Amino acid sequence: MAGRNGRTVRDLRRGNRTAVLQRLYFDGPLSRFELGPATGLSSGSVSNVVAELIADGLVEEAGSVDSDGGRPRILLRVAPGSGHMIGVDVGETRVRIGLFDLTLTELARAERPLAQQRYEVEGIVGHVRDGIAEVLAEAGIRPERLLGVGIGVPGIVEDTGELGAVVHGQTIGWDAVPLEKLLRDGSQLPDGVPYFIDNGARTLGQAEMWFGGGRGARNAVVVLFGSGVGACLVSPEVEHGRAVEWGHLTVRVRGRRCRCGALGCLEAYAGAESLLDRWREQGGSAPEGVDEETALTAMLAGAYPAEDAAPDPVAVAVLEETAEYVGAGLSDLINLFQPERILIGGWAGLQLGTRFLPAVRRHAASYALRHPAHKVTIDLGRLGPDAVTVGAAILPLADFFAHGGRRDERAPRTTSSAVRPAVAERVPH
């Protein structure tokens, strides 16, 4: 029966299960007594929901604490082994696949380096399939135990219905690639295991908002620096997080040619690929035959040498120019969205690191409006190079929470457009 607001008893029970699971997940272990005020549920409702979750194997006892004059209170937590997720980062130098338990403890991982023609579609599909099989075998997890496979990709993701998630990746040569269908064709996973495909910057943003430097913030922007540049915006108006094509804002009219084909994009100056190109054009020398990560390491070693060596003036000049472009690009985000925090992640952002930040902050403040600039902090993300993989694994986890932990109520196929975890609400304030 539906109530006046259209919600059925089943909806209410699902919502109560979701509330208890989330509070135990983020704030646990907690007692039944503590769950009442934490969830807003009555003691009777808490007891009923907890009994259901224990019977389903999703919640387990985790010791006890003394109470004021009464019997010790039993603590409860989410059972780590009650579900498993796979997170995939289709990155610029490698495909990284991680298998996680329900508490996002990594149980196994696989990596596939990407060489020339790195974004060849069949090659990427093969790496993902093989990596999934490898991590399941390594951990001894049956495929039907999976809550889902989350995948972070470069580009715009569209749910087309019949074909599932389709990826529009102009900078990598992907034109409406039906990635989900390609992965399902020939897959050894059961049909009931859903795929959740989303932009890699957004999965990075989700990870940092749930577990990293964004915890507690209601307005934040998480930016990703790799070969290219992207960002994820989280605010009360877009609390679920939205990927924004920040790297393709025009920062210089009739400027350098970007990978997308346009002139003067931020990515054409701030992405690692373009940064290294500018260094080489001005006389910088990277080791032959190395990938971008190794080349950027060599450039940074020249700009920030040991105490007894002179810095490479070309590397220093290119990095200073890059810091100004990055700062100017961040000022656009500050003026447009007025975030509390900006977090910088991605393999290149983490390599540039703390030595790069002071110049970026200075330029961002000089280009932005004073009032929002005074209210924002700019820091590195806290989750390191695995943040996109963790964020991808959060996609099936969030869907699992949204359905109250009931596998039988979930759709057999769900893509990114159906996954809208309320990041700001789920992080303790």
Side-chain angles (χ1 to χ4, degrees):
M1 175 181 290
R4 292 183 179 179
N5 60 1
R7 299 189 70 192
T8 65
V9 172
R10 187 175 184 176
D11 293 333
L12 293 172
R13 291 179 64 184
R14 183 191 302 120
N16 291 348
R17 286 170 61 101
T18 295
V20 170
L21 278 173
Q22 287 181 291
R23 288 282 61 83
L24 287 177
Y25 193 84
F26 289 107
D27 300 334
L30 296 171
S31 67
R32 290 171 176 81
F33 179 79
E34 293 170 311
L35 278 169
T39 61
L41 300 177
S42 68
S43 59
S45 294
V46 168
S47 295
N48 291 336
V49 170
V50 167
E52 284 185 12
L53 294 173
I54 290 176
D56 291 345
L58 297 177
V59 168
E60 63 186 15
E61 295 184 355
S64 62
V65 292
D66 294 333
S67 61
D68 297 333
R71 292 184 301 174
R73 291 178 180 149
I74 302 299
L75 295 176
L76 304 167
R77 69 177 182 184
V78 172
S82 58
H84 299 85
M85 302 83 64
I86 285 178
V88 180
D89 174 12
V90 178
E92 291 138 338
T93 60
R94 62 178 56 86
V95 176
R96 180 179 284 128
I97 304 98
L99 173 67
F100 302 85
D101 68 16
L102 203 63
T103 58
L104 282 177
T105 298
E106 187 178 80
L107 304 179
R109 77 158 56 192
E111 292 194 356
R112 298 290 189 273
L114 300 179
Q116 297 298 321
Q117 304 298 318
R118 54 190 178 186
Y119 287 118
E120 191 270 323
V121 174
E122 286 302 322
I124 295 293
V125 169
H127 287 328
V128 174
R129 283 183 189 153
D130 293 346
I132 289 172
E134 180 179 329
V135 295
L136 288 172
E138 180 181 339
I141 301 297
R142 301 192 311 274
E144 57 268 23
R145 293 290 301 163
L146 288 176
L147 302 181
V149 177
I151 305 174
V153 296
I156 298 169
V157 181
E158 177 187 15
D159 184 5
T160 62
E162 182 178 346
L163 292 177
V166 170
V167 182
H168 305 273
Q170 186 170 327
T171 60
I172 61 172
W174 284 18
D175 183 13
V177 171
L179 183 59
E180 182 177 353
K181 183 178 185 302
L182 293 172
L183 288 169
R184 286 199 175 278
D185 291 345
S187 171
Q188 297 181 359
L189 296 182
D191 290 341
V193 175
Y195 286 87
F196 303 84
I197 301 173
D198 213 332
N199 177 271
R202 183 169 179 266
T203 67
L204 169 68
Q206 290 201 86
E208 288 289 349
M209 293 302 294
W210 279 39
F211 302 109
R215 287 174 65 93
R218 291 182 60 79
N219 297 272
V221 177
V222 183
V223 299
L224 185 154
F225 283 95
S227 294
V229 177
C232 174
L233 166 69
V234 179
S235 73
E237 291 75 26
V238 282
E239 62 185 2
H240 316 302
R242 184 180 70 201
V244 291
E245 293 293 337
W246 176 56
H248 302 288
L249 290 177
T250 302
V251 295
R252 187 166 180 173
V253 176
R254 293 187 294 276
R256 293 177 63 88
R257 180 78 61 183
C258 179
R259 296 189 302 174
C260 73
L263 297 175
C265 294
L266 174 63
E267 186 170 297
Y269 296 90
E273 181 178 298
S274 298
L275 188 158
L276 290 168
D277 285 345
R278 285 164 39 234
W279 179 46
R280 294 186 183 100
E281 289 165 8
Q282 296 179 39
S285 177
E288 292 292 332
V290 300
D291 60 22
E292 286 179 0
E293 293 188 39
T294 305
L296 184 58
T297 298
M299 179 183 181
L300 292 172
Y304 309 113
E307 294 182 1
D308 58 346
D312 173 5
V314 174
V316 170
V318 170
L319 286 172
E320 287 179 348
E321 182 185 45
T322 302
E324 183 166 7
Y325 278 113
V326 172
L330 293 181
S331 75
D332 290 332
L333 297 176
I334 293 169
N335 290 342
L336 285 170
F337 304 117
Q338 301 181 30
E340 301 167 43
R341 302 176 197 175
I342 293 177
L343 300 171
I344 296 175
W347 66 264
L350 296 174
Q351 276 205 36
L352 291 170
T354 55
R355 290 175 294 193
F356 191 65
L357 275 181
V360 169
R361 292 185 183 118
R362 185 174 66 252
H363 290 300
S366 69
Y367 282 103
L369 294 170
R370 287 192 300 273
H371 180 68
H374 287 160
K375 297 175 66 175
V376 69
T377 60
I378 302 174
D379 291 295
L380 295 180
R382 296 180 185 173
L383 297 183
D386 295 332
V388 174
T389 313
V390 172
I394 287 174
L395 297 174
L397 176 63
D399 181 73
F400 188 63
F401 281 159
H403 290 85
R406 290 192 181 279
R407 296 171 187 260
D408 57 346
E409 292 187 9
R410 300 165 68 221
R413 185 195 66 77
T414 311
T415 60
S416 62
S417 61
V419 183
R420 290 294 178 260
V423 176
E425 292 179 359
R426 292 179 177 172
V427 176
H429 295 285

